[in-house]
Amino acid sequence: GGLRWDVQLPFTANNDTMTAVTITSVCGKSGMGDGGTYSRCNFNSPGIKANVVPEYAQLTSGTKGYDTDWNNVSPNVGVAWRPNAQGGVLRTLLGDPDQATFRAGYSEAYERQGMSQFTGLYGLNPGSTLSLTRSASTGLVGPGESWPVLLSQKDRLFNAPFNESPTFPIAARPNRADNLNAFAPDIKIGRAQSWTVSFQRSITKDMAIDVRYVGTRGSNQWSTLNYNQRQIEGNGFYEEFLLGVENLKANNASGITNRRGSIAYFGPGTGTSPLPIYLAYLNGRTNAGDAGAYTGTSWVNSAITQDLVQSWPDPFSSAADLDGDLTRRNNALAAGLPANLFVLNPDVNENQVRDSGAFSDYHALQVDLRKRLSRGLSAGVNYQYAIERGSVFDGFKYGRRMSDQGNVRHAIKTQWDLTLPVGRGQRFGSNLGPVLDGIVGGWSLNGVGRIQASVVDFSAAGDDGDIRLVGMTVDDLQSIYKHEIRINPSNGLPTVYMFPDDVILNTRRAFSVDPTSVTGYSSLGVPEGRYFAPANREGCINLRLAGGQCGPQTIMVRAPWFTRFDVGVTKKFPFVGQTNFEVRLDVLNVFDNINFDNVASPGSTAGIFQTTGFYDDPSNTYDPGGRLGQLMFRFNW
């Protein structure tokens, strides 16, 4: 057992040029909250509550980037027990007393972050660098000068004046031209708690098996949240978005040409409702009850209306359509809506805060079978079943939750080294003559193999990051998820598909929307049978950023098995004494297995569920992915 105290002093600036951002500037006009992890600012509370202009403060020399975390105590304990069963049932179960051992251990460790965590974050704030790039439009020639500038006229070019030292504080530029980047002042150092339990016993005098469980829990892990993630609850937008969906349905069903594809309000008795927020952003007007106020092409603009189609309503994208456009934001301000209706800090674009609220865990069962070198053979086989989970962020109203992560779920690895016991100095043929020994002696065979299967999460693979299954279960999905080469009808070429044609076609239909259609679907048709579909639909709209309300939180499917075996054959020809000449043949991927990349990409395009990649090395230099042989000659002395 042991105990260690880890104190990591935070990043400290050694010069005066970098800048930091306070939480007050992060919260901006929305004001400070109660200080919790997800309530440091007044989220989901539109209305100007503080007269704060975001600014970048000087990170003076000697200033710590965040508060020191002093309580990082790391215990560790381990125990090993050899039962020493000399006979009876326990001896049968445990095997050789010198080989049967139970082990268990627990430890804690704290993460040490790299310098880029600090310089990367602070370096994104203005102050540490100044761009002096100039062009024809930014003052490359002096005032009153004109183009062109000839090579012989280099004296016409000049160095633009600039301040060698910035003036602090630096105010953020208006209209969301800047990003804020800050550390949460109460950030903690990430911690990993690990534990293991194992049992090892002999099978024969040359072979042993080891079975163990390994677990790890990560807490206080660092991640970055965008505090300007658009909010659609608490400001009336979500309720109005639902009315907009009904408006589009009613207008398409009316059969009236000028209403087709429109989300506008057309007055009493038309089945449509006033949309005051949309009217403020699109037209800058406040008289939402007047059908005559809904003028202009924005109400039938498919870039806006496609997010309100009943077959795939997307309120977050619709909020981005309004709040992401400067002209529309100015319209809303002129109509009296608060600047922070959708985002916490309307004066900046991204509003990044690095905190320690993330967490994860890992669980693995490992079985290791080993044979030590005897009779010319050593070998080992290892199997692991692992589950990896991590936290996902659902928004400031919901916080983080644990979610299964796609990882290598099954992994089998093996290696072997066999020297044939024939020839001089070996078990057989030790008295062979030089010629015969040169033919049958000195042979060896070795290799490595890997068979593994990753788990793919389809629930995070759709166009909106949240999907559901229609007409099939997860077990059905597992049975049809495989690589299959078929002729692509669009080009007549052999193509690798992951799913049958009917699943692909109907998935494309489900993700293809038409805001002018009564059904909401495009000319591809209405989906039927078995397919993937967006989780959002009429009657259910997901309000969590990571999904899971209208579809499964995870749709885990085992990918096709990855198989790879590399073997080598060696022949040694002895010379005088310890010298010998060696010829070796290596064959990589001896079974020529094509390990295609796995795809999980529901969507509307014709290329969904097609894979064009396969395993090779990153540079495609040493291993192109297919069977590869190499012949080597070596002289040893």
Side-chain angles (χ1 to χ4, degrees), residues 594-610:
I594 304 176
N595 294 297
F596 291 109
D597 293 342
N598 303 308
V599 295
S601 53
S604 60
T605 62
I608 63 170
F609 301 131
Q610 296 179 15

Side-chain angles (χ1 to χ4, degrees), residues 436-454:
L436 193 57
D437 181 62
I439 296 174
V440 300
W443 288 94
S444 62
L445 174 69
N446 52 49
V448 295
R450 178 160 54 111
I451 304 173
Q452 67 184 40
S454 299

Side-chain angles (χ1 to χ4, degrees), residues 27 30-34 39-46 49 340 344:
C27 297
S30 294
M32 300 284 288
D34 60 21
S39 57
R40 292 189 177 97
C41 306
N42 279 320
F43 295 102
N44 298 307
S45 182
K49 298 176 176 61
N340 61 347
L344 174 78

Side-chain angles (χ1 to χ4, degrees), residues 2-244:
L3 189 67
R4 181 168 126 168
W5 183 34
D6 285 326
V7 178
Q8 295 185 32
L9 299 180
F11 172 88
T12 304
N14 283 335
N15 55 41
D16 299 323
T17 62
M18 301 189 81
T19 58
V21 177
T22 65
I23 294 298
T24 300
S25 283
V26 168
C27 297
K29 290 181 170 63
S30 294
M32 300 284 288
D34 60 21
T37 302
Y38 307 111
S39 57
R40 292 189 177 97
C41 306
N42 279 320
F43 295 102
N44 298 307
S45 182
I48 307 304
K49 298 176 176 61
N51 187 23
V52 174
V53 177
E55 62 182 18
Y56 304 91
Q58 185 179 20
L59 188 65
T60 56
S61 178
T63 302
K64 295 179 179 179
Y66 55 89
D67 297 335
T68 304
D69 195 355
W70 291 101
N71 60 347
N72 295 339
V73 179
S74 307
N76 69 84
V77 60
V79 60
W81 174 49
R82 191 170 63 193
N84 195 28
Q86 297 293 334
V89 177
L90 285 180
R91 174 61 183 262
T92 302
L93 293 175
L94 301 179
D96 187 342
D98 290 332
Q99 295 288 330
T101 308
F102 290 94
R103 294 182 176 87
Y106 173 82
S107 66
E108 294 185 13
Y110 288 87
E111 190 174 11
R112 185 173 184 85
Q113 300 290 347
M115 285 290 291
S116 60
Q117 286 277 2
F118 309 97
T119 57
L121 190 73
Y122 289 124
L124 293 175
N125 292 329
S128 58
T129 61
L130 179 66
S131 174
L132 297 180
T133 301
R134 291 184 294 142
S135 66
S137 60
T138 57
L140 189 60
V141 297
E145 297 282 348
S146 60
W147 293 95
V149 177
L150 304 179
L151 291 176
S152 61
Q153 299 173 320
K154 60 182 181 180
D155 293 338
R156 292 182 58 196
L157 301 177
F158 69 100
N159 294 322
F162 65 94
N163 294 325
E164 294 186 2
S165 299
T167 301
F168 296 100
I170 301 174
R173 294 173 295 174
N175 297 326
R176 306 187 186 182
D178 286 322
N179 300 325
L180 300 183
N181 301 278
F183 277 102
D186 59 347
I187 196 168
K188 300 181 183 303
I189 302 300
R191 180 180 67 166
Q193 298 169 278
S194 301
W195 54 91
T196 180
V197 178
S198 70
F199 170 65
Q200 174 186 287
R201 62 153 292 177
S202 64
I203 297 177
T204 68
K205 65 178 183 179
D206 297 323
M207 189 177 300
I209 187 171
D210 193 351
V211 180
R212 56 186 171 268
Y213 160 73
V214 178
T216 299
R217 167 76 180 186
S219 57
N220 297 332
Q221 293 177 326
W222 288 14
S223 68
T224 303
L225 299 181
N226 182 9
Y227 275 37
N228 266 12
Q229 173 65 48
R230 290 186 178 90
Q231 309 297 319
I232 63 173
E233 296 182 87
N235 54 7
F237 175 75
Y238 175 64
E239 293 75 12
E240 186 171 314
F241 173 82
L242 296 179
L243 296 177

Side-chain angles (χ1 to χ4, degrees), residues 441-470:
W443 288 94
S444 62
L445 174 69
N446 52 49
V448 295
R450 178 160 54 111
I451 304 173
Q452 67 184 40
S454 299
V455 174
V456 178
D457 182 10
F458 278 83
S459 63
D463 283 355
D464 64 346
D466 193 17
I467 66 169
R468 58 191 170 95
L469 300 179
V470 179

Side-chain angles (χ1 to χ4, degrees), residues 295-351:
T295 60
T297 59
S298 295
W299 302 95
V300 293
N301 183 348
S302 61
I304 296 175
T305 60
Q306 66 180 356
D307 294 323
L308 292 92
V309 176
Q310 74 268 23
S311 60
W312 186 5
D314 190 345
F316 286 103
S317 292
S318 189
D321 291 337
L322 303 181
D323 182 65
D325 185 274
L326 176 59
T327 300
R328 293 168 187 163
R329 290 200 304 269
N330 288 334
N331 287 343
L333 289 176
L337 293 186
N340 61 347
L341 181 70
F342 286 110
V343 298
L344 174 78
N345 192 336
D347 292 321
V348 296
N349 186 26
E350 292 186 349
N351 199 4

